[in-house]
């Protein structure tokens, strides 16, 4: 048997190392505890950032290009785009005359952020075939800010305009423009060939929005005085 002193020595020999190991584990655990809050904090920050991206309005640079109907707030931008695109005042002044005479049926703008970068206008046009008056439109003018040209904005405006004109039950559209450009939208010089007008040739084209609208032997196109064409035809 061991005496009290020996027994205490044995206990100390067995217990003290164990206590030291427990203390070391405890110290190690304390040093590692902050890692959990840091991970949670990072996760929360990520969640907050995601929420802000989802809920905050986009900046001007992030707003997508969009096509929308013209309103009075767009007029200054349309004027600037038209003058820049045509390098002159003639088309911008034509737009003002068409508005003043109440001839505008449909006018759309392409907006990048809050800036007008493109514009298309459709106005009332007198077209008759075999004595039957059509609900027809003139497509003019179309303009795109020079630095945006070649990016498809003009095509977007025209396609959207034609779709809306068809929804308005307009029957036909006439355009004077580039012979290599407008046929992609369905315009045809042959279809316009039967129409007596101030213009002729490949650049003078027509498009039916209602099937058979331009069917017939002969027709006539008369432009309103706002276009400044002598006699309108």
């Amino acid at each position: 048997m061991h005496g009290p002193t020996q027994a205490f020595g044995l206990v100390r020999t067995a217990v003290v190392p164990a206590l030291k190991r427990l203390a070391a584990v405890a110290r190690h655990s304390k040093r590692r505890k902050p890692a959990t809050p840091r991970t949670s904090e990072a996760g929360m920050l990520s969640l907050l950032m995601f929420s802000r991206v989802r809920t905050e309005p986009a900046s001007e640079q992030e707003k997508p290009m969009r096509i929308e109907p013209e309103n009075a707030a767009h007029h200054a931008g349309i004027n600037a785009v038209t003058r820049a695109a045509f390098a002159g005042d003639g088309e911008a002044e034509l737009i003002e005359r068409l508005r003043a005479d109440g001839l505008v049926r449909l006018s759309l703008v392409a907006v990048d952020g809050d800036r007008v970068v493109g514009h298309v206008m459709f106005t009332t046009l007198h077209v008759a075939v075999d004595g039957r008056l059509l609900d027809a439109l003139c497509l003019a003018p179309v303009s795109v800010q020079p630095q945006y040209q070649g990016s498809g904005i003009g095509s977007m405006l025209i396609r959207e305009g034609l779709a809306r004109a068809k929804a308005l039950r307009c029957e036909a559209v006439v355009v004077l423009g580039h012979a290599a450009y407008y046929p992609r939208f369905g315009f045809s010089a042959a279809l316009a060939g039967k129409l007596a007008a101030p213009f002729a040739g490949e650049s003078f084209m027509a498009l039916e929005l209602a099937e058979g609208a331009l069917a017939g032997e002969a027709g006539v196109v008369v432009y309103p005085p706002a276009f400044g064409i002598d006699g309108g035809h």
Side-chain angles (χ1 to χ4, degrees):
M1 293 181 65
H2 300 291
T5 301
Q6 290 177 312
F8 178 76
L10 289 172
V11 171
R12 181 177 181 182
T13 301
V15 172
V16 169
L19 290 174
K20 287 182 177 179
R21 286 195 298 272
L22 288 172
V25 171
R27 287 195 301 272
H28 183 67
S29 297
K30 287 181 179 179
R31 287 196 299 269
R32 295 185 63 182
K33 280 183 179 179
T36 299
R38 284 199 297 270
T39 302
S40 299
E41 184 177 315
M44 184 61 71
L45 180 59
S46 176
L47 178 61
L48 287 172
M49 289 178 67
F50 178 75
S51 298
R52 289 180 65 188
V53 169
R54 292 288 296 271
T55 59
E56 286 186 351
S59 66
E60 286 189 11
Q61 291 75 17
E62 294 171 333
K63 288 181 181 178
M65 181 78 66
R66 60 194 188 278
I67 306 296
E68 58 190 42
E70 169 194 319
N71 61 51
H74 296 132
H75 286 185
I78 291 171
N79 186 286
V81 167
T82 306
R83 292 176 189 275
F86 289 96
D89 301 334
E91 286 74 15
E93 292 172 354
L94 170 61
I95 289 173
E96 292 176 2
R97 293 195 300 271
L98 291 168
R99 285 198 194 114
D101 290 354
L103 296 170
V104 179
R105 294 286 299 278
L106 181 62
S107 183
L108 302 174
V109 290
V111 182
D112 186 11
D114 290 326
R115 182 187 183 197
V116 174
V117 297
H119 172 246
V120 65
M121 181 171 278
F122 295 80
T123 54
T124 299
L125 185 65
H126 181 102
V127 177
V129 177
D130 290 349
R132 180 175 62 89
L133 185 63
L134 306 184
D135 185 356
L137 303 175
C138 173
L139 194 175
V142 182
S143 56
V144 177
Q145 193 73 25
Q147 59 265 44
Y148 285 82
Q149 291 176 7
S151 62
I153 293 175
S155 293
M156 290 170 58
L157 285 164
I158 293 170
R159 292 187 193 282
E160 179 68 15
L162 292 174
R164 292 185 182 226
K166 187 171 185 177
L168 292 173
R169 299 187 181 277
C170 296
E171 297 177 272
V173 182
V174 173
V175 67
L176 180 69
H178 294 292
Y181 181 73
Y182 284 94
R184 72 186 66 179
F185 307 107
F187 285 93
S188 165
L191 195 57
K194 69 179 68 177
L195 303 175
F199 315 105
E202 293 184 350
S203 295
F204 182 60
M205 292 167 275
L207 166 69
E208 290 182 337
L209 295 179
E211 186 176 355
L214 294 172
E217 294 298 322
V220 62
V221 175
V222 179
Y223 286 82
F227 280 93
I229 298 172
D230 187 22
H233 58 277

